[in-house]
Structure formats: structure tokens, C-alpha cells
Amino acid sequence: GAVVSQHPSWVICKSGTSVKIECRSLDFQATTMFWYRQFPKQSLMLMATSNEGSKATYEQGVEKDKFLINHASLTLSTLTVTSAHPEDSSFYICSARPGSLQHQPQHFGDGTRLSIL
Amino acid sequence: DAKTTQPTSMDCAEGRAANLPCNHSTISGNEYVYWYRQIHSQGPQYIIHGLKNNETNEMASLIITEDRKSSTLILPHATLRDTAVYYCIVNNYGQNFVFGPGTRLSVLP
């Protein structure tokens, strides 16, 4: 149980392109989903917290106009990297927390490796 | 959220128990301890979590000291597939996890 699917697994695109990443909770409903970014040889860094039906909360230093997050249903959140540039190349990972009990652990997708040429 | 301190790296012989320590001396009364691991180029995998009692599941055991200032994750019979970076996180209400550098566990044949 508690499976989170992320798509695509990897994407290569030209500078200036917008890229959408999907995060789905397959066997549970997730009121809250999270988006992280991980650069090579570094740890995960939280980008934003996504709540179903409301605006996402972004961490300091993360441009909300560049990283658009939509959480339209209890099983789907999307991250769109708008006008991507080479410095946006990274490993993007989503997570979701099942249930209403707030100590429930987050479950993570397998990540999306984004390469901007 | 409380900070955690973990050794940078550890080695363990295949088939032996791997004991991964974590210090969280500033943990507050309602913060849980969570353990995850990340194998290269994958998302973190949930292992176990607990508040104050020891916990065991099919993957591992979590031993939390009585004062809750430290904990140990135990993989009873480590295999080569357990080679990964292990993260210890303490968190209130499961909200914003803060990932430190973790412990890089190498299981050796």
C-alpha cells in the first residue's frame, strides 16, 4: 500500500520549454503533497507544500511563478517548470501523506530527472 | 523541527545486523522519529517511524531511548540491496520534512 507514482521518470528538453511533472497517489487519498528538488550529491530540499483545492505554500527562495503547482484532486498534484533553463536541471521528487492522522509518514515517488539543454 | 545528527558513513558485512544511530537531543514531546532510505537515483523509501516505544516491521526495528534524545535503526540481516543513504528525520505532525545528509551505508560482501 501507499504507492506514489511520478511521471515522467526523466525528461530532456530545450531551454525555454515548459515541463509538467505529475504525481499520483495510487491507493490512497492525499490531502497534502510535497515537492522536493535534489541536486547531485546533495540531500532533498523541500520546494513547496501542495494542499488539495488551495494554493501551494512555497519555501523561501523558490519562485512560485516559475514552479507552478496544481493539486486539483486528492490523488493528483502537478509541478510545471515554466521556461526552464539549464540551472533548473535537477532531480524532482514528490511525496504524499495518506489519511487524516498527521503523524502518518510521507510516501515518495521515484522522482523525475530533468535535463535542460 | 528538531535537528538530527547521523554518522556520515558506515560499513556492514552482508548477513550481519546494521545498526544506524541518530541523535536528536532537541526533540520535543510531540515529534515523531522517521527513517527513510534512498537508493541511488530513486525517491526515498519509507522504513519505519515511532514516537517513544520501540517499533518493528518487516523491514527494520526502531529503538528509541527512554529520554528520546537518540534512536537506532536496526536492519537485522543486511543484504547488498540495503546499500543506500539512510535519513533520520524528527518531525511534528508529519509536515515539512527536513532532510540532512544522512548516513551512507555500504553493505560489503
Side-chain angles (χ1 to χ4, degrees):
Chain A
V3 178
V4 175
S5 174
Q6 196 170 333
H7 179 81
S9 300
W10 57 272
V11 59
I12 302 173
C13 60
K14 295 181 179 179
S15 184
T17 306
S18 292
V19 179
K20 180 184 283 188
I21 303 170
E22 291 188 349
C23 179
R24 294 181 184 274
S25 56
L26 298 186
D27 51 1
F28 64 95
Q29 292 184 331
T31 305
T32 305
M33 290 185 171
F34 306 85
W35 288 94
Y36 296 81
R37 181 167 52 183
Q38 185 175 32
F39 291 106
K41 297 187 179 182
Q42 295 185 21
S43 192
L44 282 77
M45 291 188 61
L46 180 67
M47 298 177 65
T49 302
S50 167
N51 292 298
E52 186 265 338
S54 64
K55 291 184 178 180
T57 302
Y58 291 81
E59 295 299 297
Q60 191 172 8
V62 178
E63 300 176 57
K64 63 180 180 180
D65 294 331
K66 182 168 188 63
F67 298 99
L68 301 180
I69 291 172
N70 184 277
H71 192 163
S73 78
L74 289 172
T75 59
L76 174 65
S77 177
T78 61
L79 168 68
T80 301
V81 183
T82 62
S83 187
H85 290 94
E87 59 266 28
D88 298 321
S89 298
S90 189
F91 191 47
Y92 292 86
I93 310 168
C94 72
S95 72
R97 190 181 70 222
S100 58
L101 294 176
Q102 292 177 320
H103 69 268
Q104 289 291 322
Q106 296 179 26
H107 294 275
F108 289 79
D110 275 339
T112 297
R113 189 159 302 281
L114 175 62
S115 295
I116 308 298
L117 305 178
Chain B
D1 294 335
K3 292 183 178 179
T4 62
T5 304
Q6 299 177 253
T8 302
S9 63
M10 293 181 63
D11 291 341
C12 177
E14 187 178 17
R16 303 296 294 269
N19 298 290
L20 291 90
C22 180
N23 286 320
H24 31 79
S25 59
T26 60
I27 191 170
S28 63
N30 54 1
E31 288 185 311
Y32 281 74
V33 181
Y34 300 83
W35 282 85
Y36 288 80
R37 70 181 182 185
Q38 186 178 26
I39 297 170
H40 183 63
S41 296
Q42 297 182 20
Q45 178 188 23
Y46 165 74
I47 301 174
I48 199 166
H49 76 289
L51 182 61
K52 54 183 177 181
N53 297 322
N54 296 338
E55 302 287 344
T56 295
N57 62 20
E58 66 277 7
M59 290 184 66
S61 295
L62 173 61
I63 308 298
I64 303 174
T65 58
E66 192 169 344
D67 63 6
R68 301 208 326 122
K69 293 185 177 182
S70 66
S71 61
T72 301
L73 178 74
I74 301 173
L75 307 179
H77 305 286
T79 70
L80 299 180
R81 288 176 294 182
D82 293 322
T83 292
V85 178
Y86 286 77
Y87 298 102
C88 167
I89 301 168
V90 294
N91 185 257
N92 189 1
Y93 298 139
Q95 285 290 346
N96 298 349
F97 281 3
V98 177
F99 282 81
T103 295
R104 183 171 299 276
L105 175 68
S106 298
V107 180
L108 307 176

